[in-house]
Every structure is written in structure tokens, then in C-alpha cells.
Amino acid sequence: MLSAERGAATNTLAAYQRDLDDFRDFLIDRGVAADAASSADITAYLSALGKRGFAASSQSRRLSALRQFYQFLYGEGLRDDDPTGVIDAPKKAQALPKTLSVADVDRLLEQAQREASEPGPGQFERMRMAALLETLYASGMRVSELVTLPAGALKPGQRFLTIRGKGNKERAVPLSMRAHAALMAFDAERKARAEETGDDNPHLFASRSASGHLPRQVFARDLKGLAARAGLRTTTISPHVLRHAFASHLLQNGADLRAVQEMLGHSDISTTQIYTHVLEERLRELVEMHHPLAKHAKKRE
């Protein structure tokens, strides 16, 4: 079914095979057939995985494979129930997203702008980097969405971009005045060069790569170089970290979580909720600043 109906890749099929083989071996010791396993058997298996040192994320992946297996049996009439239906996935520790302070982002953008204004060889690439960074921090778009922007995405006087994200869904993302100015300056230079060479590449951030646009890996590499020149730790810098900085800084300054969800292109609010630690800090500050009892306590101090 996975192969014929869902077109699963060879590696995916092999992973499911390994997971189900391991579960079958566990059930053999319990004297239970795989197609007759109960919810208690599956819970015991997940517990055994934990004792074997499997992380919660790995346990969840195994449970996902079992869900698919038992949903298939139920759908085909080979079982009267789905024993995985009452089992919750193991709780995963939610890692906070890496981000940058406003001061660090300012240093990075200022370094990019300084280098972009320096005439001489490589100025076009430096202008491109400034445009990329300003746009990424102003919009929070995914790096894949950024580097694949079509040349027609930018329109004079228009302070937003319409982009096509995951699931082929369109959304509008805002542009700051700085981002718009950096993009317009870069685009003017891009058009001038294209006219000279007769290049009709449809991408805004065109490249001679096989895809025709700037590879995300090249952008990430050049970003680390810029960060080093700005005096920042390169291990903390990546395009995705700037996307996190965009969201975190918006929430710190009072933006609504739903609005941030829309701008990030998250289909589910739960994905955006990794930033709730920012909201919690913001709420604490608001209470301390505005709540009558908090004000009274400060006066007594």
C-alpha cells in the first residue's frame, strides 16, 4: 500500500520494515502475533524502547509506523479496531529556537550595508547579501522561499511581497523601508547587468547554479562570513536563526501570535507556539508594569 498507493521512497519503505520487524520481535517474546496486539502490548513496546535509550522523538516515529500499520489492518477489515487510537505519543522536550538579540541583528545588517556601499569588484554580490538579509529579517520568510523569489515579485512602491510557500499556498509578507530600499537598489543593478549580458533568468537572486537561483547553502556560507566580519559568533548564525529572530522580536514588541503565524506561513498555530516563551516574558513585564498590585509593591520597596 505504501509503495503502490502513496509512492513511498525505497528508504521510507526500508524504515517501516525495520520498525515493524523490531516490533514483531518484541511481540514474539510476549507470545503475541502482530495482527492481534493490544493497546497494552504497544504501550509496553514504547516503554521498552525508552529503557533501550530511544529518545521521545524516536519512540514517536516508531508509534507512527505502528499507527499506519494498524490503520491499514482496520481499513482492510482485518481487524475490528485500531489499538493505537488510544495511545498518546511520548512527550518530546521542546527545544527553544536559537535566535539573535536586536543588537546583534543591527550589527549584522550594518555590516552588510557598509560592504554593499563599497565600490569595486564584488559589489554586486555584496548588494545582494544586503538585500537578502534585510528582506529575511523584515519578512521572516523561509530561506527556500527567499532565494527562489521570481524577478517579478518586487514592484516599485509596493511594500510587500507575495510569495508561494509550503503546500503551494500564497501569502503576503511585509517589507520594511530598509528592506524595500535594499531590494530596489539590488534589483536596479541586476536589471542593468541582465541588459548588458542578455540574461533573462526569471529569478530575482539569479545564479549560474543548476536551479538558476542562488543556492541556499551558498547564502548560508556567505552569511557566516559576514557574521565573522561583524564580530559575531558564526556558530550562532544561519538564515533560519534570522527567521526566528524576526518572530521573536515581533512578539517581544507586542505583535499578536496569530499575525506572526500568518507571516511565517505556519498552517498550524501549534508550530508558532515554540515562541510562547517570548510571550510569557512579555506578559510578565506587562503585569509588573501595569497591574495595580505590582505597582503598589514597587512603591513599598
Side-chain angles (χ1 to χ4, degrees):
M1 181 274 290
L2 289 173
S3 176
E5 295 181 18
R6 299 191 185 176
T10 303
N11 288 343
T12 301
L13 295 173
Y16 274 105
Q17 182 73 58
R18 286 193 299 270
D19 291 348
L20 293 175
D21 283 346
D22 188 65
F23 179 58
R24 179 199 57 197
D25 292 343
F26 172 81
L27 291 178
I28 287 173
D29 293 338
R30 292 171 70 91
V32 178
D35 59 355
S38 66
S39 298
D41 292 320
I42 297 169
T43 300
Y45 174 63
L46 294 175
S47 178
L49 290 177
K51 291 174 183 174
R52 285 162 57 185
F54 280 71
S57 57
S58 298
Q59 294 176 47
S60 294
R61 190 177 65 79
R62 292 290 178 95
L63 177 58
S64 176
L66 296 180
R67 286 195 204 283
Q68 302 256 13
F69 176 61
Y70 286 107
Q71 285 169 5
F72 171 77
L73 295 182
Y74 178 70
E76 294 293 314
L78 300 174
R79 272 192 71 130
D80 295 330
D81 67 332
D82 172 9
T84 65
V86 296
I87 300 176
D88 293 327
K91 297 289 184 184
K92 292 184 280 188
Q94 195 170 45
L96 296 179
K98 292 180 180 179
T99 187
L100 293 170
S101 67
V102 174
D104 284 347
V105 173
D106 283 343
R107 285 175 66 181
L108 195 62
L109 295 178
E110 285 168 8
Q111 181 71 27
Q113 289 292 354
R114 269 197 307 273
E115 294 186 4
S117 63
E118 295 172 2
Q123 186 178 22
F124 178 74
E125 287 73 22
R126 295 191 294 272
M127 291 175 69
R128 181 179 66 191
M129 175 56 76
L132 284 163
L133 282 188
E134 291 284 0
T135 305
L136 183 55
Y137 183 58
S139 66
M141 70 175 74
R142 299 176 181 90
V143 64
S144 56
E145 296 167 344
L146 176 62
V147 297
T148 58
L149 280 173
L154 181 65
K155 295 178 174 57
Q158 184 171 290
R159 289 276 300 281
F160 66 89
L161 294 172
T162 301
I163 61 174
R164 196 174 294 278
K166 283 187 176 181
N168 211 29
K169 294 179 181 176
E170 281 193 350
R171 72 182 191 277
V173 296
L175 288 177
S176 64
M177 291 182 68
R178 282 178 50 160
H180 188 264
L183 272 174
M184 291 299 293
F186 167 74
D187 195 41
E189 185 64 22
R190 179 192 67 82
K191 287 176 178 174
R193 290 165 67 102
E195 193 171 331
E196 286 179 10
T197 61
D199 185 7
D200 59 351
N201 192 307
H203 295 286
L204 181 60
F205 299 107
S207 167
R208 292 178 180 173
S209 66
S211 62
H213 61 73
L214 179 71
R216 54 188 298 172
Q217 297 87 348
V218 173
F219 175 35
R221 180 201 66 198
D222 293 348
L223 176 57
K224 285 188 179 293
L226 179 71
R229 295 191 296 276
L232 299 174
R233 288 176 53 207
T234 58
T235 54
T236 63
I237 305 291
S238 73
H240 202 63
V241 167
L242 277 172
R243 174 170 156 88
H244 287 318
F246 160 83
S248 297
H249 296 169
L250 276 179
L251 291 169
Q252 283 170 3
N253 287 281
D256 177 73
L257 190 66
R258 287 281 182 186
V260 174
Q261 174 196 357
E262 182 69 24
M263 286 184 281
L264 289 174
H266 288 162
S267 57
D268 192 331
I269 190 68
S270 64
T271 310
T272 318
Q273 284 172 343
I274 57 172
Y275 300 105
T276 50
H277 68 288
V278 177
L279 283 179
E280 287 164 5
E281 179 64 19
R282 170 75 177 164
L283 289 172
R284 185 186 63 77
E285 292 174 356
L286 287 173
V287 169
E288 290 182 355
M289 187 181 302
H290 299 294
H291 197 285
L293 291 179
K295 288 181 178 179
H296 184 62
K298 284 185 178 178
K299 284 180 181 177
R300 286 192 302 177
E301 289 173 6

